[in-house]
Amino acid sequence: MRLLISIPLSPFNQTTDNHQTFTLTGIPGMPEKDFWMALPLCLLYSITVLGNVIILFVIKTEQSLHEPMYYFLAMLAATDLSLSLCTMPTMISVYWFNWHLITLDACITQMFFIHAFGGVESGVLVAMAFDRFVAIRFPLHYTTILTHRVIGNTGAAVLLRSVVVVLPVPFLIKRLPFCHSNVLSHAYCLHQDAMRLACADTSVNSIYGLVTVIIFIVLDVLILLVSYVLILQAVLNIASKEERFKVLKTCLSHISAVLLFYVPLIGMTLIHRFGKHLSPFVHILMANIYLLLPPVLNPVVYSVRTKQIRQRIIRMFCGGKNGP
């Protein structure tokens, strides 16, 4: 009888239980600071939602902005908005309400959308580089090359590529047992973060994670570099120095958006793969910068740097009818 009772209580049975929930993490070692983190976090999310909604509203309502460049900007704003909405529920629940538990299925769902919209943003930035190249290299044929159909097909291709590439990720995570720990490193779910908690071979997950990095980072960055080499060649063929400067200014907003997205993304990827010895705070800081910085600053950059959008926003808030 004692033997029968002792079997269920054995350490072996306890360690092989497969966790069906994860514990999200706030600031390591400073749980009392979580509430005060919620205040700037809510402010950042408010700026993100308001800024991107304003960009979408202005582009939709202003007939003069119905051009290829602004359609791609609308795609970028919609992607930034979607990416923020993916992380907002768990970030607010951890820092504001001190709710740290998330079910495995909810975690996998959030993981899919975060990585998918990250891939979409990368693809949209590549499409915007192509838009700038066509506008500078073929200005007279700009609208005939980038027709509504071409823009729509480009957006659909970017979305389809991201979904197809990220779709295996939930299934690769779902097959893994989590029997040692269920404490994640962030206030949201990422593939590489959940993968490290598995008590099984994760070679397939690691290899596929590397494949997605190559597709979304390496390949897209190479295309961006080639695009800007071609853009510079086209600019150098312009005789007037003032005209060269004017043309290059049209690329500054896009270059800023590219740096805002890829620098934190590459930094986070390198830290996850090679910075395991670093403080957990560094991991959390880089991951939060990657997810929060581009959606917050992209609308600001385009509102400040793009005259047409800036004028429409000023007119909208000032109530003027006859803006410049």
Side-chain angles (χ1 to χ4, degrees):
M1 178 63 69
R2 291 180 181 176
L3 178 61
L4 292 175
I5 293 174
S6 65
I7 290 176
L9 299 178
S10 65
F12 176 80
N13 285 331
Q14 288 180 341
T15 57
T16 54
D17 288 339
N18 191 14
H19 295 298
Q20 292 302 306
T21 60
F22 286 113
T23 301
L24 302 170
T25 303
I27 305 175
M30 295 187 293
E32 71 282 358
K33 303 294 185 183
D34 283 358
F35 177 80
W36 298 108
M37 275 292 295
L39 298 178
L41 194 64
C42 287
L43 178 62
L44 289 175
Y45 275 123
S46 300
I47 294 172
T48 297
V49 173
L50 181 63
N52 286 289
V53 167
I54 288 175
I55 293 288
L56 290 170
F57 177 78
V58 168
I59 293 174
K60 177 176 171 36
T61 56
E62 290 292 336
Q63 190 67 33
S64 61
L65 298 182
H66 291 180
E67 298 179 3
M69 171 185 173
Y70 300 108
Y71 287 136
F72 286 120
L73 176 56
M75 292 182 193
L76 182 66
T79 304
D80 282 337
L81 188 60
S82 301
L83 189 59
S84 296
L85 293 177
C86 289
T87 60
M88 185 187 300
T90 55
M91 293 277 278
I92 297 299
S93 69
V94 168
Y95 289 108
W96 193 279
F97 299 105
N98 201 30
W99 295 341
H100 291 265
L101 291 181
I102 184 172
T103 65
L104 177 61
D105 289 338
C107 184
I108 290 175
T109 301
Q110 184 185 49
M111 181 190 307
F112 169 78
F113 282 109
I114 289 176
H115 290 296
F117 282 120
V120 170
E121 179 143 358
S122 181
V124 170
L125 290 172
V126 171
M128 294 175 79
F130 178 70
D131 165 78
R132 291 298 81 210
F133 168 71
V134 174
I136 294 171
R137 182 66 179 83
F138 307 104
L140 299 179
H141 304 285
Y142 178 52
T143 55
T144 57
I145 294 175
L146 291 176
T147 61
H148 287 179
R149 182 176 181 179
V150 170
I151 295 170
N153 289 340
T154 301
V158 167
L159 179 61
L160 182 63
R161 181 194 73 155
S162 186
V163 170
V164 169
V165 171
V166 179
L167 190 59
V169 169
F171 300 100
L172 291 174
I173 286 291
K174 187 76 173 176
R175 70 186 179 87
L176 296 174
F178 300 93
C179 52
H180 297 317
S181 173
N182 66 339
V183 180
L184 297 172
S185 302
H186 310 297
Y188 47 82
C189 297
L190 295 176
H191 173 247
Q192 57 268 37
D193 192 20
M195 179 183 68
R196 69 178 180 82
L197 300 179
C199 52
D201 182 23
T202 58
S203 300
V204 175
N205 294 68
S206 297
I207 292 171
Y208 196 77
L210 182 60
V211 170
T212 60
V213 167
I214 292 173
I215 294 174
F216 287 146
I217 300 181
V218 178
L219 182 60
D220 285 358
V221 168
L222 287 176
I223 295 174
L224 284 167
L225 289 175
V226 171
S227 298
Y228 270 97
V229 168
L230 296 175
I231 287 171
L232 285 174
Q233 288 179 347
V235 169
L236 291 175
N237 289 330
I238 300 174
S240 170
K241 185 179 295 185
E242 291 77 12
E243 193 65 25
R244 289 181 193 171
F245 181 71
K246 183 179 178 181
V247 169
L248 282 176
K249 279 181 65 178
T250 64
C251 298
L252 288 180
S253 297
H254 179 253
I255 293 173
S256 300
V258 168
L259 293 176
L260 284 172
F261 179 75
Y262 284 107
V263 171
L265 175 59
I266 292 172
M268 185 187 70
T269 302
L270 292 176
I271 284 175
H272 264 290
R273 290 192 171 270
F274 307 111
K276 294 180 175 60
H277 61 286
L278 296 175
S279 166
F281 183 78
V282 176
H283 289 258
I284 289 178
L285 179 65
M286 285 302 301
N288 288 343
I289 287 175
Y290 157 63
L291 287 176
L292 294 176
L293 201 64
V296 169
L297 293 184
N298 280 341
V300 176
V301 169
Y302 275 95
S303 299
V304 172
R305 298 294 312 175
T306 308
K307 181 180 178 182
Q308 294 89 331
I309 293 178
R310 184 173 67 249
Q311 289 175 344
R312 269 61 179 188
I313 292 175
I314 292 173
R315 183 192 306 175
M316 183 173 67
F317 282 101
C318 294
K321 300 293 184 182
N322 299 313

